[in-house]
Amino acid sequence: MSKALDVRDLTVAYGQIAAVRGASFTVEPGEIATIIGANGAGKTTILNALCGLRDVRAGTVTLGGEDITHLPPHERVRHGLAQVPEGRRLFGRMSVAENLEIGGYARSDHAAQKHDLDHVLELFPRLRERYRQLAGTLSGGEQQMVAMGRALMAKPRVLLLDEPTMGLAPQIVDLVLDAVRRVNREGVTVLLVEQNAYGALEIADRAFVLESGEITLTGHGLELINHERVRSAYLGHEA
Ligand code: ATP
């Protein structure tokens, strides 16, 4: 079977400065994979390159066996890739319903969309309660659920999540990571970028450590939780 995502020798630069330098990694269908790394290591830059918001200087990105390296973002969505961006980027003055609707904009199968909307509301019952409320008035955790629901409305095969637990209280962090796991169990392959390394490693089938734009360590999430270098650099008091 094709890899869900295959990234080869990816280089992404801002002017003269390469923020991602020859990174290679693969994610198998059905996995939760995570990229952990310090502030500024290049995690967001990788996700933005994967979804087409940043030009790739060198290397290739293959999704389910298809080369998407130079496709525009909306084409990648059609090919089954959706992103939950850093900071959620909801339309705060639009309702939960409208935000979710926007997620399905690239689709023409309206009957199936209704079905997927019901499914999102089953996955996040809280959003059914908040359905007509303005997204900007929700709590951080609820907003994160709207952002995930919006991405799921594109019916992705691969979901990219950029720091979904950022700024959330510890109980809410668990709720969001649990939601990631549920989405994955529904068959969506996940690539999660986190500064909350412990939470991400706990749920990851495959994890990559990114340092200054290079992948320096790969392993199963639990394996890396016990890795001495990971513990001292990223887990601090949590481990
Ligand atoms: P964070 O956890 O802070 O989001 P990150 O691992 O996601 O960090 P990136 O945001 O991808 O890291 O940044 C990687 C490097 O690229 C950093 O050195 C950053 O300063 C630089 N960088 C990011 N965005 C830009 C930009 N628009 N212009 C120039 N340099 C940038």
Side-chain angles (χ1 to χ4, degrees):
M1 193 162 28
S2 306
K3 311 280 180 209
L5 195 61
D6 189 27
V7 176
R8 286 294 110 207
D9 305 318
L10 183 72
T11 295
V12 188
Y14 298 101
Q16 295 298 308
I17 299 165
V20 178
R21 304 185 290 165
S24 297
F25 59 92
T26 57
V27 184
E28 298 287 348
E31 281 185 334
I32 296 181
T34 186
I35 302 175
I36 62 165
N39 227 316
K43 304 180 297 296
T44 296
T45 303
I46 288 184
L47 287 197
N48 285 344
L50 296 185
C51 65
L53 297 175
R54 273 282 151 210
D55 282 343
V56 166
R57 177 87 31 113
T60 56
V61 179
T62 312
L63 180 78
E66 282 181 87
D67 187 342
I68 61 161
T69 317
H70 300 293
L71 287 185
H74 67 277
E75 285 291 334
R76 298 181 197 222
V77 176
R78 271 191 228 279
H79 277 76
L81 186 73
Q83 190 190 16
V84 180
E86 191 170 359
R88 309 186 266 271
R89 307 266 171 86
L90 297 180
F91 297 96
R93 303 185 68 171
M94 287 166 69
S95 68
V96 169
E98 288 165 325
N99 273 278
L100 293 176
E101 231 167 76
I102 283 169
Y105 80 97
R107 297 171 57 179
S108 48
D109 51 347
H110 296 292
Q113 265 184 71
K114 170 78 180 76
H115 174 267
D116 291 338
L117 177 60
D118 285 341
H119 193 65
V120 165
L121 296 176
E122 264 165 44
L123 205 57
F124 305 118
R126 199 54 184 253
L127 299 188
R128 203 185 286 280
E129 290 165 34
R130 302 273 188 254
Y131 201 54
R132 297 286 164 206
Q133 218 165 301
L134 297 186
T137 65
L138 304 188
S139 71
E142 289 167 345
Q143 289 194 9
Q144 190 59 49
M145 286 175 197
V146 178
M148 284 173 70
R150 180 179 60 184
L152 290 175
M153 285 301 292
K155 211 163 176 46
R157 281 178 289 152
V158 177
L159 183 66
L160 310 177
L161 292 138
D162 196 350
E163 307 244 7
T165 70
M166 191 163 55
L168 301 179
Q171 318 89 286
I172 312 296
V173 166
D174 289 344
L175 220 117
V176 167
L177 290 177
D178 194 52
V180 171
R181 242 194 296 221
R182 271 185 289 143
V183 166
N184 172 253
R185 267 193 236 117
E186 305 270 320
V188 180
T189 304
V190 170
L191 176 60
L192 171 69
V193 154
E194 268 294 344
Q195 270 195 47
N196 168 14
Y198 195 82
L201 290 174
E202 262 190 325
I203 64 167
D205 301 297
R206 193 183 291 255
F208 313 104
V209 175
L210 187 69
E211 291 178 293
S212 307
E214 294 178 57
I215 306 257
T216 53
L217 205 55
T218 301
H220 189 278
L222 296 179
E223 191 186 323
L224 292 200
I225 280 184
N226 292 310
H227 195 288
E228 201 179 315
R229 224 172 78 214
V230 174
R231 290 170 79 90
S232 63
Y234 304 106
L235 299 179
H237 63 280
E238 287 174 279

